[in-house]
């Protein structure tokens, strides 16, 4: 009697399933089908867990470039969208201001992290009087237990410092440590313009009063952090683009 080859039968089943899937799409794929553009950078195929690092420093209270909402509101929505789209992937969340806090450890169930992000308050969850991106990176690095992890820093790229002096640790040094652990950092920069409006109390009719302020973007530091780890800076990326990097 002829002996069955399990490996050959398994390959045959995979091929059959592929043909059935192709048939359900109406035949051969079009060679000219449009492709959704994605960033030119590609995350390593062996990447495992991921940490989303949310900037909760004072400049995040400024309005977005279109003036529709605060930068923090836009950043939180982006983090939530990435969490909900990252199926079959362990994702955690770190927030930082003057200090850093692990809001949610990497897990396959993302709704607890979503709830924690939505409940986070500027100045309450962490002190917002400084931009501790170095502390945020260090904490994210320690939360990733295996190599080839991904860290996505969602930030406006600006620095808010107490009395002009930063209390942060060396952010570039933290990036070198991340690189030594074979993690990749992607910077999701949610603001392009340095000048933005920020609420400065209310007027006599209890209506919000806004002032224009400059929030310099430290492009050199953001680029150095990303490049040191093999990542890149993405300006105003979509959640889909970030999920693509986390594959």
């Amino acid at each position: 009697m002829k002996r069955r080859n399990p490996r050959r039968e398994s390959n045959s089943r995979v091929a059959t399933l592929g043909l059935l899937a192709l048939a359900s799409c109406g035949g051969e794929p079009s060679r000219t089908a449009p492709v959704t553009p994605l960033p030119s950078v590609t995350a390593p195929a062996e990447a495992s867990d991921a940490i989303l690092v949310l900037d909760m420093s004072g400049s995040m209270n400024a309005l977005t470039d279109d003036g529709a909402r605060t930068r923090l509101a836009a950043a939180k929505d982006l983090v939530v969208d990435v969490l909900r789209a990252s199926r079959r992937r362990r994702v955690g969340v770190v927030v930082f201001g003057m200090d850093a806090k692990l809001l949610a450890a990497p897990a396959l169930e993302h709704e607890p992290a979503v709830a924690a992000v939505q409940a986070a308050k500027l100045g309450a969850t962490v002190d917002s009087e400084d931009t501790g991106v170095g502390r945020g990176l260090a904490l994210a690095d320690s939360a990733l237990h295996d190599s080839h992890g991904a860290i996505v820093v969602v930030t406006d790229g600006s620095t808010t410092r107490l009395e002009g002096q930063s209390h942060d640790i060396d952010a570039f040094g933290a990036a070198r440590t991340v690189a030594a652990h074979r993690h990749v950092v992607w910077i999701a920069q949610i603001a392009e313009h340095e000048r933005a409006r920020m609420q400065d109390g209310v007027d006599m009719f209890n209506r919000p009063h806004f002032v224009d302020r400059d929030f310099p973007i430290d492009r050199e530091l953001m680029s150095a952090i990303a490049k040191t780890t093999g990542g890149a800076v993405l300006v105003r990326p979509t959640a889909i683009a970030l999920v693509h990097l986390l594959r």
Side-chain angles (χ1 to χ4, degrees):
M1 184 173 65
K2 188 177 180 180
R3 180 176 298 177
R4 297 169 61 187
N5 187 326
R7 180 175 296 178
R8 181 174 298 173
E9 289 183 359
S10 175
N11 291 339
S12 176
R13 284 195 295 271
V14 170
T16 302
L17 289 173
L19 290 173
L20 289 173
L22 185 61
S24 68
C25 295
E28 294 185 358
S30 170
R31 297 179 183 271
T32 59
V35 177
T36 303
L38 290 167
S40 57
V41 289
T42 304
E46 63 271 29
S48 50
D49 294 354
I51 297 287
L52 305 178
V53 182
L54 175 61
D55 184 349
M56 295 192 69
S57 61
S59 63
M60 296 293 283
N61 201 36
L63 298 185
T64 52
D65 292 343
D66 60 6
R69 52 185 172 163
T70 66
R71 294 174 174 182
L72 181 59
K76 287 170 68 173
D77 284 350
L78 182 61
V79 169
V80 166
D81 288 346
V82 172
L83 282 167
R84 286 179 166 162
S86 300
R87 298 182 179 88
R88 299 183 299 277
R89 182 66 179 269
R90 286 164 45 95
V91 184
V93 179
V94 163
V95 296
F96 70 88
M98 180 177 288
D99 51 0
K101 178 180 181 180
L102 181 63
L103 208 59
L108 288 172
E109 174 53 53
H110 300 146
E111 284 306 311
V114 167
V117 169
Q118 291 175 332
K121 303 291 184 184
L122 198 70
T125 304
V126 288
D127 192 322
S128 62
E129 293 300 319
D130 199 357
T131 305
V133 62
R135 296 185 188 280
L137 285 174
L139 184 54
D141 178 65
S142 67
L144 291 171
H145 300 297
D146 47 8
S147 61
H148 300 295
I151 298 173
V152 178
V153 182
V154 183
T155 177
D156 60 359
S158 180
T159 55
T160 304
R161 294 189 172 97
L162 181 64
E163 298 178 355
Q165 182 177 1
S166 176
H167 294 258
D168 190 23
I169 64 174
D170 178 16
F172 188 58
R176 288 196 297 267
T177 301
V178 170
H181 294 158
R182 303 177 73 184
H183 304 316
V184 180
V185 176
W186 309 97
I187 303 292
Q189 184 181 307
I190 63 170
E192 288 186 79
H193 306 306
E194 297 189 343
R195 193 163 185 80
R197 302 186 76 199
M198 175 182 279
Q199 185 173 346
D200 182 32
V202 296
D203 62 17
M204 61 183 298
F205 301 105
N206 205 35
R207 296 175 302 192
H209 177 262
F210 293 90
V211 294
D212 291 330
R213 286 187 56 186
D214 290 322
F215 299 96
I217 297 173
D218 198 337
R219 293 181 172 84
E220 184 177 354
L221 176 61
M222 297 298 115
S223 178
I225 288 172
K227 289 182 178 179
T228 297
T229 65
V233 176
L234 308 175
V235 179
R236 296 175 66 180
T238 63
I240 294 175
L242 294 179
V243 171
H244 171 77
L245 293 177
L246 298 182
R247 288 179 180 174

